[in-house]
Each structure stands twice: as C-alpha cells, then as structure tokens.
Amino acid sequence: MTSALTEREEQWADLEKFAAEAQAGRGRVALASGPVASGKTALLHVFGEHATQSGFIALRSTCAAAERSLPFGMVRQLFGAGDFPAVDLPAVDLDADDAARALTVYSLCQSLLELARDNPVLIGIDDVQHADQPSLDWLLSFIRRAGSAKVLVVLTETATSRPAHSPLHTELLRHPHCRRIQLAPLSESSVTTLFGGAASAYEISGGNPLLVRALLEDKAGGSQIVPGSNFRQALLSCLHRCEPNVLRVARALAVLGEVTVGDLIESDSEAVTSAIDVMNAAGLLDDEGGFRHPAARSAVLDDMSSPDRRALCLRAAGLLHDKGAPAADIAPFLVDADDTANAWTGAVLAEAAEHALRGERIDEAVRYLELAGRAAVDDDDRAAIVAKLARVEWRVKPSAAVRHFPVLTKAMAAGHLGDRDATALVRQLLWHGRVVDAVSVLDEVRSDQEPQLSTVADRRATELWLACTHPPLARRGAMPLESVKHEVGLGNPTAGPWFKSTAALVNVLSYGSQEQAVTDAEHVLQAARPSDSMSWGPESAMQALLVLVYADRLDLARSWSELLLEQARTAVSKALFTSVRAEVALRQGDLAAAFEDARTAVTLLPPTSWGVAAGFPLGCAITAATRMGRLDDAVAWLEQPIPDTMLQTRYGLHYLHARGEYYLATNRDYAALADFLSCGELMASWGMDMPGLVPWRTSAAEAWLRKGENRAEVRRLINEQLAKVGPDGSRTRGVALRLLAATSQVHSRPQLLAEAVAILEGCGDRFELARALADLSRAYRAVSQHRRASPMARRAWQTADACGAAALCAELLPLCTNIDVVEQRHSSDRLASLTEGERRVAAFAAAGYTNREIAEKLFITPSTIEQHLTRVYRKLNVKYRKDLPAELHTYRAATA
C-alpha cells in the first residue's frame, strides 16, 4: 500500500516539517484524525520507521477500549519500549492520593525530557481516544512542558460524527505548537490507478484503505475484482473497531437494507444518524445509505449469531407489516426468522408466494409456502397450502411433489381438501402412476352431487382430461364428448386455458382435424402463462401443442414450441416443449433433430419425473433411432424402466407404436403386428381412433405385407385409414396410398404412388417421401419405364440421406443407376462405424474369400470371422456379401 500513501504527501510533508523543528529543540504535537481504517496506523508506523532512521528515539503505544480501566497502561507501553534506554523510572503507586500521583506524573515527564536532551524523541500513540485517564493526565502534563524539548508527539484518533470536547482536545487546541492532520478515504482516481483503471474497485471499497488492500489481496493473480474472504474480514474489522452502536446499526442495515433502522434496534434517531455518519466517513456505505456490495452485507449478516439474526429479522417483518409494506417485502424476513407466531404470517407468505410465482421465482415461492403451511391455523388452510406447494414443486421437479401425496390423500379423506385442489391432486397422482390413490380421490370428488358453481368447470375439465389421457378412469356417459363443442368447450371465450386446451384435445382425438380445435389451441398458446399454478400452465400449453400435432399442423406446432422454449424457465417447461418439438421433427422426417430433442427432453426431466408421460419422448426417441438405423440406441431406450400403468394412457400409445416399428425393423413381424393391433384396440375402446394420434392401421398393414400374408386384411385396413382421413392431403393419406399401391395391380401402382409422393411433398415428411419415391422407382421398373425409375431412385436416396435414414439409404443403393458415384461420396460415413478388425474381415469378404480362407490369412478362427461379419452386416445394413460396398476393395489393396 506504499503507492496509496503517495496520496498522503501533504500530511507526510507536515510530519517531516514537525520532525525537523523538534530536532531543533522546538517541541511539536501532531494529531492525525480520520475515520476508521483510513490509514492512520499505517501512517504512524511508516513515519516512525523514517524518524528512527533520522536519529529519533521512537517510543510507541497503542491504546484499546478494553484497557481504559488499566491505570498508566499507555505510559507503561511507552516506557517499556525497546528503544527506551535504561533510566530510573519512579515507582507508580496506584493507591496514592492526588498529590502523590501528581508527583509521579511530574517525575515521568522529567525522565522523558531528560532523555530528549541528547537525542530527539518521537512519541507515537495510536487510538489515543481509548487511553486510560492517568495516562492522559501524564500526556497533557508532558505536552505542556515539551515546548522547548527535542520531542515530536504524534497522536492518532478515530474521528466520530460528534465534535470531541475532552481535556486532551481542549489542551491541544490552545497549544501553539499543535497541528491537526485530517485523513480521509483514498480518492477515486487513486484507487482506480491502483487497480489498473478498473472503476469498480472504488465502487466496492469506497476508497477505504483497509478495504482497498483487502481487494488487492483477493485479486492477487487474477483479473476479476471480486470481494473475497480478505474483503469480508477487513469490513468486519472496520465495524468492530467502531463504537458498539455502529455495529448495531450496521447489522440493522444489513437485515433491513434501509437507512430508517432506528425502530429496528430500538435506538434514537440521533444515535442512528451518528453511526451512519461514521460508516459514511469510512466509505462503507453508498450514496443511498446501503452497503456498497452484496458481499459486504453478507459478511455482516454472517457475523451475527443465529438467534440475534432471527430476532432482528422477525422485528423487521413486524415493522414492515405495521407500516403496510407489500407481502413480497415482508416474506423474506419471516423466512429468515423462521417464525410463525404472528396471526398474519400465513396470509403474508401465501400472497408473497403468488407474487414470486408470477415472476417465475419458483424456489422462492416454495420457501414461502413451506413456512405458510406451518403457520396455517386450521386443517383446511393447511391442506390448501400443501396442495399449492405440490403444484409448484411439480413445475420444477415432478418427482418432488410425491412427498406431499400422503398428507393430501389423508386431507381429502378427512374432507379438508377443496374441489380444485382435489382435481389437481388426481392429475398429479395419475402422472406418477398412482392409480389406486387417484381413484380414491376421484370417488370422493364424484360423490359430491352438488358441487360449487366455481368448481364445475374444473370437474368437467378433469373428466375430459381423463377421457383423452387416462381413458380407463373416465366416467363414461357423465359428459358425452359430443357435448364438448356445444356446452362449455370449443369456442367458449370464458373457458380457462386448462379447460380449453383439454376440450380441444378431446375434439381432435374424437373427430380428427377440426379448425375450431386448432383455433382454441392457438388461443391457449397466445395467452400461455407458465407461472399460473392453478391452471397448469406448462401442461396446458403442451396439450395445445399436441392439438396442432395431432391435427397435422406441424409447421404451426413447431413455431409455437420454439417460441415457448425461448420463454421457458423451468426444466419441466423446457422438457415438455422440447418433447413436442421432437415429435414434430419426427413427423417431418428430420430424424436426427427428433432423436436429439427427445434425448434432451429425457435429460432435462429424468424418466422418474416424467412418470407415465415418459411414453411420449421415449416413443419418439425409439422411432427416430430405428429409422436412422441406430438399433443399439433404440434398444437402450426400450430398456428404460417405465411405469406399469403407462400402457393404459394416451402416452403409452406412442410407446407401443414405436416398439412395433423397432420390431418390424428387426424382422420380428408378428411382435410388431401385435403392438400395432394393440394400439388399434385401445384407441377404438377409448373413442379416440384417429390416425393423427398413431397410424396403427397403416403400420399393421405394412407388417402384414412384410409377411406376404392376409392381403384382404391389408386392403381393409388401408381403406379404413383412407376413409378416416378423407380426401385432404394428410401425411397419413400419403402413407396409405403408398401401401395401397403395394396391393394393387402392377400397372396401377405408378399412379397411386405419384399421388402419394405429391401429398408427402406437400406435407414435408421427408422420411415417408423417400419411401414413396423408392416404391415409385420400383413401380416404374416393373412397367419397364427405366428412364423414370433411375432418377426417382436417386431422388429417394438423396431424400433419405438428407433426413438421416441410414438404413433406408442402404436399402435404396441397389436401385440407383450410378451406384459407384453415390457410394464414393459417402464411403467414409458408411464405413466409419467399423472397427479396424471388422474392416479387414469385410475387405476380404467383399473380394470373394470364404470365412475359412479369411481365417487362414488373418490367423484367427472361422467363428471369429463369422462374428465380425455379423456385426459388419448389421452396421452397414446389408444381408449378403455381394452387397458389401465396393470401396472395401480399395481398403484391402491399401493394407496388403
């Protein structure tokens, strides 16, 4: 800090002048005064060393408030200093009368003046305001006698906001050879220079030399100016060196964060103002009267004992409440105080929690609700708060809400849970597969035949939601789905987001793509409020997105999901919206994006938190992996544990259909057929047999075609599918036409497939478009239109390659006329998955060697060769040696 002392040049010059005059036999006294930690001690220490080098005998003493009751304590330090030569000190009799004590003081003065005859003497006394009274008496007596002695007395004191009127100051004021030296915090320019031009250093330290030094120590070796442990310790040192009242006010400021803290510590305004003036003078507070940096406030709070801090926080909460402060300002103090004694505590915390939710501060809301639950005065209030807490925690981590289920189910059984909280509990229980508990709560809700008018919509929304998400639990006949459009559902401007999104979802699953359902879904998305805990904001928005997906409005669903993802703040919201975007990408044939988004959704929200809804992202991931030829990844997703009850939900349909696709890709046609037909049976029994959900008919038809069996059943399934979708150009119609062509006469196939291609091009499903183009190429070959067949095959390959369908690309290669060119363009990609050993074996196999011949050349067993080739065929998606890529010949030549 020597560089910082250059700012003290004027004070230093005064001291040197005083020293020169003292050496000439003209005694001088200097009183250095300044705020706490303003560099007084450092100045005294450095000047003392300088004076010693100039021939002074230096005597030093440091006073402390704790030693004020020790008579002659300061004097004992001076006369016991190492630089003091051997002199005869008179005995100090502490029990002597005034006359005897005056004689002692005189003798001490004479001893010191005798010493100064031959050598100049520097007397340095730090924090003289804490000196004991006998020592002060001696000091005053000595100063009166030192006018013609070779003596320089340098005193330091910590300035207070009130002018000092002690005998010492009175004597110094009338002494002709006394000078005051005022010290202040370092200037902004000086501090900024110390930190290489960083202005933030002054903003944090206020120029207080002790804090500046601490900041430098915290910064040592780094580029960032961040208050650390040294800063915290230095700040506390400043406060503890002040009068006790300053520390009390500082603690009150740290708790309340306001200057008007007198009531908080039960202190008069004059004392508070005085303490604040002291801290301002030391540079500890900013212009608004608060601490300059959060680290300073945190250090003061951490320095308090837990009981003291809680008591101060509780008093602050009471004061704010009495002044009518907002609940959001009061609640943090109640939480810090951990107190529920006041009758108004619960209401304040509940209001503050709602305010925090609107700002998406979920963790804050949880803290308030947990304390509010303890503050509740009756069972009904407590149950309502716990129910809200469960909903709020669900938005951050659904599995965290499970801990509240026992309390809430008991409250429901005891009649303490309201209808709205009960229906919300049903949804939470079913999300986690707790069907038995959910049915118990449902029975209680349904047993009330005269619900309050305000809860009728919630009950109807719950029944609708059960019908489209957990159909086995829906009350059939209680509210026919046909009534949704005409009673309180679609197009109703007064319906809430949860009800409107559920009604739209029921409509699209029951009647197919409906404009009113799409319109209502967009209304929900436009007014989406993820912070609305009662209307299930994220899930309402997800249901609205699924309406768009099931209605085949994929571009619209994608744009909305991306917009919601930009606004999403919680992992739950991000996972839900990402899973929908994954499904959209899958239906548009963007397999890589679908796989990544599905994986992200399951990463953001583990399967345990997804509950029965895990079937949705898992189904997408399995299907995408299967179509990309990444069968190992598909198996890994299929091995994920799932709730037993998932397959009895709408989410389970996505999973079942995806598993069927995997079975079909791995030549387990009957297993695939069983899954597809199971989807059909469930959808028919649940009243949601719409192909926009899962196209089980075309998938089952494809499984039958793979087996070459039951062509009549195939045509029946396809015709039913076409009747379901109608003449509109939907993805499902394009797929159905492709399969219909496979069951038609050879000469009819090109026309049907051309129509399928046109539809799929318009829908943007690149994967299904590639399959339709491939079938069209084969159809052209079958009718000897080779000029049309080859370009169609190349286009099919390019489309499959663009959407990442590696298995389909491998299947299409033989159809391409210029196979070598296509293979060379992608040889590195196709062979990248092979190990070095697999490449060597595959190269010999491609050259026509038998397993035994390859084994002899590579010195390994024929069974090992067979295992290598099995893996090669699977990775390259080929069945025979003749289908191995030609570039393997080049590899064998290069390694020969």
Side-chain angles (χ1 to χ4, degrees):
M1 289 291 291
T2 302
S3 59
L5 289 174
T6 58
E7 190 171 300
R8 313 299 195 192
E9 289 178 356
E10 182 179 347
Q11 293 90 340
W12 186 269
D14 286 342
L15 289 175
E16 284 196 317
K17 179 182 177 182
F18 296 162
E21 292 173 347
Q23 283 180 314
R26 298 189 296 275
R28 292 293 182 264
V29 179
L31 175 62
S33 180
V36 64
S38 57
K40 303 181 296 296
T41 301
L43 182 64
L44 179 61
H45 175 73
V46 173
F47 183 75
E49 291 183 345
H50 173 73
T52 301
Q53 294 172 1
S54 300
F56 276 79
I57 295 175
L59 307 180
R60 300 182 182 90
S61 177
T62 300
C63 303
E67 296 179 357
R68 278 180 176 173
S69 60
L70 180 63
F72 290 107
M74 182 188 78
V75 174
R76 290 176 188 276
Q77 289 188 54
L78 286 175
F79 284 85
D83 292 330
F84 197 93
V87 296
D88 295 328
L89 293 178
V92 178
D93 185 359
L94 299 181
D95 297 324
D97 55 21
D98 291 343
R101 181 170 294 184
L103 181 60
T104 299
V105 168
Y106 173 77
S107 299
L108 289 172
C109 291
Q110 289 301 114
S111 297
L112 197 54
L113 291 171
E114 185 68 27
L115 175 67
R117 284 182 183 177
D118 300 324
N119 299 287
V121 175
L122 170 67
I123 298 175
I125 302 175
D126 197 16
D127 285 335
V128 70
Q129 76 274 10
H130 295 313
D132 61 278
Q133 191 57 50
S135 293
L136 280 176
D137 293 341
W138 168 83
L139 181 61
L140 291 172
S141 179
F142 180 77
I143 289 174
R144 286 193 291 269
R145 292 170 170 79
S148 58
K150 297 179 181 180
V151 174
L152 173 59
V153 179
V154 181
L155 311 175
T156 73
E157 70 168 0
T158 298
T160 64
S161 60
R162 301 176 181 179
H165 299 293
S166 67
L168 174 65
H169 288 86
T170 302
E171 181 67 28
L172 294 179
L173 284 173
R174 73 180 187 85
H175 197 286
H177 304 299
C178 177
R179 295 290 184 273
R180 276 183 173 273
I181 298 176
Q182 294 292 338
L183 296 178
L186 301 174
S187 67
E188 182 174 358
S189 60
S190 179
V191 175
T192 302
T193 301
L194 273 174
F195 285 84
S200 61
Y202 182 80
E203 295 172 1
I204 296 171
S205 67
N208 183 289
L210 187 61
L211 298 186
V212 170
R213 175 185 294 172
L215 272 182
L216 285 170
E217 292 171 351
D218 286 333
K219 179 180 177 292
S223 58
Q224 298 294 320
I225 301 175
V226 180
S229 59
N230 291 304
F231 178 86
R232 293 167 62 92
Q233 292 171 8
L235 179 84
L236 293 174
S237 174
C238 288
L239 294 174
H240 282 278
R241 286 160 62 179
C242 296
E243 295 294 329
N245 186 55
V246 175
L247 182 59
R248 292 177 64 230
V249 172
R251 287 174 171 175
L253 277 175
V255 169
L256 194 55
E258 297 178 2
V259 177
T260 56
V261 297
D263 293 339
L264 187 61
I265 56 174
E266 299 177 347
S267 182
D268 61 83
S269 60
E270 186 178 357
V272 171
T273 301
S274 174
I276 289 174
D277 288 344
V278 169
M279 288 186 280
N280 275 325
L284 303 184
L285 304 181
D286 58 24
D287 294 338
E288 296 179 358
F291 287 103
R292 291 179 169 273
H293 193 276
R297 178 173 181 266
S298 174
V300 176
L301 290 175
D302 292 344
D303 186 52
M304 298 171 64
S305 67
S306 295
D308 287 348
R309 182 171 174 176
R310 284 197 295 269
L312 210 54
C313 287
L314 182 59
R315 196 175 303 146
L319 288 172
L320 290 173
H321 180 264
D322 292 343
K323 292 180 179 180
D329 293 343
I330 303 171
F333 296 109
L334 290 173
V335 171
D336 284 345
D338 193 30
D339 186 89
T340 60
N342 293 305
W344 46 264
T345 297
V348 167
L349 289 167
E351 183 181 345
E354 195 59 44
H355 185 270
L357 287 174
R358 286 194 292 270
E360 288 291 328
R361 300 187 301 276
I362 308 299
D363 291 342
E364 185 179 321
V366 168
R367 290 196 297 272
Y368 296 159
L369 289 172
E370 285 179 336
L371 188 59
R374 288 165 45 198
V377 295
D378 59 46
D379 292 335
D380 288 356
D381 288 344
R382 188 173 297 106
I385 291 171
V386 174
K388 187 170 186 176
L389 179 58
R391 292 194 301 272
V392 171
E393 288 188 327
W394 182 94
R395 290 172 48 200
V396 181
K397 186 179 180 183
S399 58
V402 174
R403 67 190 179 103
H404 302 294
F405 289 169
V407 173
L408 291 174
T409 52
K410 288 180 181 178
M412 184 65 195
H416 298 306
L417 206 61
D419 261 14
R420 300 186 72 189
D421 291 332
T423 54
L425 177 59
V426 168
R427 296 196 290 270
Q428 289 178 318
L429 289 168
L430 290 177
W431 177 277
H432 289 287
R434 306 286 188 92
V435 174
V436 175
D437 290 336
V439 169
S440 176
V441 176
L442 263 177
D443 290 342
E444 291 285 343
V445 173
R446 288 167 173 169
S447 65
D448 185 1
Q449 299 300 318
E450 296 181 359
Q452 296 179 359
L453 185 62
S454 61
T455 63
V456 170
D458 281 327
R459 286 197 178 195
R460 289 174 175 172
T462 299
E463 293 295 346
L464 281 176
W465 178 76
L466 290 172
C468 67
T469 307
H470 297 269
L473 302 181
R475 176 188 275 181
R476 297 298 176 180
M479 185 167 67
L481 298 182
E482 289 80 1
S483 68
V484 172
K485 290 190 288 185
H486 307 294
E487 188 177 353
V488 288
L490 299 173
N492 184 352
T494 64
W498 172 251
F499 188 97
K500 186 173 286 190
S501 65
T502 306
L505 186 58
V506 169
N507 187 58
V508 81
L509 291 175
S510 302
Y511 306 106
S513 180
Q514 297 282 329
E515 281 304 314
Q516 186 61 61
V518 172
T519 300
D520 274 14
E522 287 202 89
H523 286 167
V524 171
L525 294 170
Q526 289 165 3
R529 288 181 56 204
S531 61
D532 191 341
S533 62
M534 198 65 242
S535 65
W536 286 63
E539 203 179 27
S540 296
M542 182 186 182
Q543 287 193 157
L545 289 173
L546 288 178
V547 170
L548 302 180
V549 172
Y550 296 151
D552 228 10
R553 305 293 288 272
L554 300 180
D555 288 338
L556 199 56
R558 182 175 186 84
S559 62
W560 272 113
S561 61
E562 289 178 345
L563 178 62
L564 289 171
L565 275 171
E566 291 176 4
Q567 301 171 352
R569 300 184 189 179
T570 67
V572 172
S573 298
K574 291 175 182 178
L576 294 180
F577 302 149
T578 301
S579 69
V580 176
R581 190 173 67 176
E583 183 69 15
V584 171
L586 180 66
R587 296 184 182 217
Q588 290 183 328
D590 191 350
L591 303 181
F595 183 81
E596 286 305 314
D597 272 349
R599 181 164 59 182
T600 299
V602 179
T603 302
L604 285 168
L605 206 60
T608 53
S609 284
W610 269 103
V612 297
F616 185 64
L618 287 178
C620 184
I622 293 164
T623 302
T626 300
R627 293 179 180 180
M628 293 169 71
R630 297 171 60 170
L631 299 181
D632 289 344
D633 287 328
V635 169
W637 289 117
L638 283 166
E639 290 176 346
Q640 288 285 327
I642 57 173
D644 295 336
T645 55
M646 187 188 76
L647 297 181
Q648 291 298 309
T649 70
R650 169 169 44 86
Y651 308 113
L653 296 174
H654 291 274
Y655 184 87
L656 266 180
H657 192 270
R659 190 173 69 182
E661 281 212 28
Y662 169 77
Y663 286 152
L664 201 61
T666 53
N667 300 316
R668 285 178 272 183
D669 301 332
Y670 285 122
L673 189 60
D675 277 350
F676 296 144
L677 293 177
S678 292
C679 287
E681 291 172 3
L682 292 171
M683 290 165 68
S685 66
W686 294 345
M688 55 175 71
D689 191 4
M690 286 292 126
L693 180 53
V694 293
W696 70 270
R697 287 183 177 83
T698 49
S699 298
E702 188 162 4
W704 281 120
L705 285 172
R706 287 278 299 271
K707 295 300 294 179
E709 302 173 2
N710 212 343
R711 296 185 77 83
E713 177 65 11
V714 170
R715 291 189 69 87
R716 184 188 70 79
L717 290 170
I718 294 172
N719 287 327
E720 280 185 5
Q721 192 80 311
L722 289 171
K724 284 277 187 184
V725 299
D728 294 337
S730 66
R731 295 171 49 260
T732 308
R733 179 173 177 80
V735 174
L737 289 174
R738 177 179 69 81
L739 294 173
L740 182 62
T743 66
S744 302
Q745 297 294 324
V746 173
H747 65 275
S748 302
R749 291 176 184 173
Q751 181 179 353
L752 290 169
L753 290 167
E755 183 182 353
V757 167
I759 290 173
L760 292 169
E761 281 180 327
C763 296
D765 188 339
R766 289 181 293 174
F767 178 76
E768 290 296 346
L769 174 61
R771 300 179 77 190
L773 287 168
D775 284 0
L776 182 55
S777 173
R778 295 186 184 98
Y780 281 143
R781 289 181 187 277
V783 294
S784 300
Q785 295 186 29
H786 298 289
R787 284 189 174 183
R788 293 186 174 184
S790 295
M792 205 61 67
R794 284 194 293 274
R795 186 180 166 200
W797 188 93
Q798 291 166 355
T799 304
D801 183 57
C803 71
L808 184 57
C809 283
E811 178 186 333
L812 293 174
L813 275 178
L815 296 178
C816 299
T817 302
N818 196 358
I819 293 177
D820 290 340
V821 173
V822 176
E823 285 189 333
Q824 286 173 6
R825 280 175 49 211
H826 297 275
S827 60
S828 59
D829 292 336
R830 298 181 61 214
L831 299 179
S833 61
L834 298 182
T835 65
E836 189 67 17
E838 290 168 352
R839 285 195 186 193
R840 285 198 299 269
V841 171
F844 280 108
Y849 289 87
T850 66
N851 287 4
R852 186 173 296 280
E853 290 171 338
I854 298 172
E856 290 174 354
K857 287 185 173 292
L858 298 180
F859 303 102
I860 52 180
T861 64
S863 66
T864 302
I865 299 298
E866 184 176 352
Q867 293 171 19
H868 276 307
L869 286 176
T870 299
R871 289 193 292 271
V872 168
Y873 292 165
R874 176 170 55 81
K875 290 181 179 180
L876 299 182
N877 280 294
V878 299
K879 295 183 177 180
Y880 308 103
R881 292 177 185 235
K882 64 181 180 63
D883 298 326
L884 290 169
E887 59 265 33
L888 284 169
H889 295 287
T890 305
Y891 173 81
R892 188 173 67 86
T895 55

